[in-house]
Amino acid sequence: MGDTQPPRAARLPNGTRLLRRAVKGVGVAFEVQRLQLAAKAALAAGLAFFVAPYMPGAAAEYPYYAPLGALVSMYHNVAGSVRQGLQTLVGLAMGIGLAFLLVNVTDPSPVSVAVFMGIGVLLAGLPRLGSGRDWIPTAALLVLLVGGSNPDDFSFGYLIQMGVGVAVGIAVNLLVFPPLHFNAAAASLDELRLALGTQLTDMGAALKEKWPPEHEDWSRRSDELATAARSVRHLVQEADASRRANPRRRLHPRDVDLDYRNLRELERVTFHIQDMTEVLSDVIWQEDVPYTVPFRDSVPLAEAMTATGELLRSFHSEDTASQHRLFSSAEAAVAACMAATASPDLAEPDPDERTVTASESILLSLHRILRAVRPAP
């Protein structure tokens, strides 16, 4: 064993990394879901501007605020669109009220505007305002600066047209292909299972190689696995939010509660695999750790880890019967490893009796992983 951590992956030139980030950013901007949102936002803004001149009284003089209302209410799910639109209108109403208070108390001046803008920012800190908090000082300032000598008409028109735009935006999001994010959540769960299974099989392969092993990519994946688990939780939550107030949910039913249960299980699996990764990395590359993996445990541990990894990978494509078969194989491999590590090797005693074996820690993690991912009967 060496006394250093595995070398970090070679860093790409700055220009190459910047180019890859730019390409990735462009790709995200032109994803199908983003294109759908852009098309619906464009449609909502156009419809809002079309109906804006028909609003009563002074509101018809401010039609350009209707498309703005449509844009601020546009969200990637229906429930979020309703929430964001209503929060915006509440923030606008509070900001308009703040502006009227300033007009009635004193004449606008640099000092009074500064004071009331500060009050607006403080009010924006109130809970449950969400996206509406940013509109409190904005609306107040617009009434003061744009309303001029006729703040009543401007405030009425501003609020009415924004309300019209919000209503149009919500209607478009509700009626024009309201999005359901079930596929993304399901795919992310499968991808996380596959990544976790690959991590276990790679660690199993490392146990069978001559130490230090030639392949050490697995030792640097702990943070990547944690990031992937957080991303999956976000996508499952997005799928849950997308079904609320969505009429398409009846045509595309999905057990999101099961997704949450699978997510919690995979988060536990991720924790145990991260722990195993850290333990095995320390055993291979660190000299000063007070634990080790005896040579006689390497093959049984490798077989147990590989079998468990194959089980996790099977959830990506195999049928239920294959999953049960692989689960039985993984369970048998873990049991065999427990029996092998529990029997002392008298022919090859441990050269350092003070060193604690890490095999039990890895086996305990494997046992908990199997308990978490046991296939349904």
Side-chain angles (χ1 to χ4, degrees):
M1 288 182 227
D3 58 357
T4 59
Q5 289 287 348
R8 293 186 179 274
R11 296 181 64 86
L12 295 172
N14 289 336
T16 304
R17 285 189 285 116
L18 290 175
L19 180 60
R20 287 190 176 183
R21 290 178 183 176
V23 171
K24 184 178 179 180
V26 172
V28 170
F30 286 92
E31 289 179 346
V32 174
Q33 292 179 353
R34 192 69 185 177
L35 291 173
Q36 290 177 347
L37 183 64
K40 291 199 294 184
L43 175 62
L47 289 175
F49 193 67
F50 175 77
V51 301
Y54 300 99
M55 292 302 102
E61 300 177 10
Y62 305 96
Y64 35 84
Y65 288 112
L68 178 61
L71 290 178
V72 300
S73 67
M74 195 55 57
Y75 199 71
H76 55 267
N77 61 63
V78 177
S81 187
V82 174
R83 181 180 63 252
Q84 190 162 284
L86 293 179
Q87 289 172 344
T88 297
L89 293 179
V90 170
L92 285 174
M94 293 179 67
I96 290 171
L98 185 63
F100 271 96
L101 181 62
L102 172 59
V103 171
N104 291 327
V105 169
T106 181
D107 294 330
S109 68
V111 174
S112 62
V113 168
V115 170
F116 275 79
M117 288 303 99
I119 296 173
V121 173
L122 290 176
L123 291 175
L126 293 173
R128 298 183 181 276
L129 283 178
S131 59
R133 60 169 48 94
D134 297 329
W135 289 92
I136 297 176
T138 301
L141 192 60
L142 282 174
V143 170
L144 292 174
L145 298 181
V146 181
S149 60
N150 194 11
D152 294 350
D153 288 346
F154 175 79
S155 300
F156 173 76
Y158 184 26
L159 190 59
I160 291 296
Q161 294 289 16
M162 287 289 289
V164 168
V166 165
V168 171
I170 293 173
V172 168
N173 212 10
L174 176 66
L175 299 175
V176 181
F177 199 73
L180 287 170
H181 301 299
F182 294 160
N183 291 338
S188 68
L189 287 166
D190 285 342
E191 289 171 2
L192 180 58
R193 289 190 189 96
L194 186 60
L196 293 170
T198 300
Q199 179 71 357
L200 280 178
T201 54
D202 285 353
M203 287 194 291
L207 278 168
K208 292 183 177 181
E209 293 180 4
K210 182 181 178 181
W211 285 7
E214 296 180 3
H215 305 94
E216 68 278 335
D217 290 348
W218 57 269
S219 64
R220 296 190 292 266
R221 293 185 192 143
S222 185
D223 291 340
E224 294 179 13
L225 294 175
T227 301
R230 287 193 296 270
S231 176
V232 173
R233 171 164 285 278
H234 171 73
L235 290 173
V236 171
Q237 290 172 337
E238 286 291 325
D240 187 16
S242 71
R243 65 177 180 161
R244 298 171 189 167
N246 194 325
R248 294 180 62 228
R249 63 181 293 184
R250 298 184 182 276
L251 300 176
H252 305 276
R254 183 174 180 84
D255 189 353
V256 178
D257 292 335
L258 177 61
D259 287 338
Y260 274 115
R261 290 196 298 272
N262 290 334
L263 170 65
R264 289 190 292 269
E265 291 170 355
L266 289 178
E267 286 176 334
R268 289 196 294 270
V269 172
T270 301
F271 170 79
H272 292 306
I273 291 180
Q274 285 181 290
D275 182 67
M276 294 165 65
T277 301
E278 184 175 351
V279 168
L280 193 56
S281 296
D282 287 346
V283 166
I284 294 175
W285 283 287
Q286 293 291 343
E287 292 281 355
D288 57 348
V289 293
Y291 48 84
T292 187
V293 173
F295 179 76
R296 64 184 176 86
D297 295 347
S298 298
V299 172
L301 276 175
E303 292 176 349
M305 294 171 75
T306 300
T308 306
E310 292 297 333
L311 170 65
L312 286 172
R313 291 163 62 92
S314 73
F315 286 92
H316 183 69
S317 58
E318 300 292 339
D319 55 24
T320 303
S322 297
Q323 291 169 9
H324 281 280
R325 177 177 55 80
L326 289 170
F327 180 83
S328 298
S329 299
E331 206 171 33
V334 171
C337 186
M338 292 179 68
T341 56
S343 302
D345 189 348
L346 300 179
E348 190 177 347
D350 191 337
D352 187 355
E353 295 181 355
R354 295 172 299 175
T355 301
V356 177
T357 175
S359 304
E360 287 84 356
S361 172
I362 295 174
L363 278 170
L364 180 59
S365 294
L366 288 173
H367 175 73
R368 289 177 172 173
I369 290 171
L370 289 179
R371 188 168 61 182
V373 301
R374 180 186 296 271

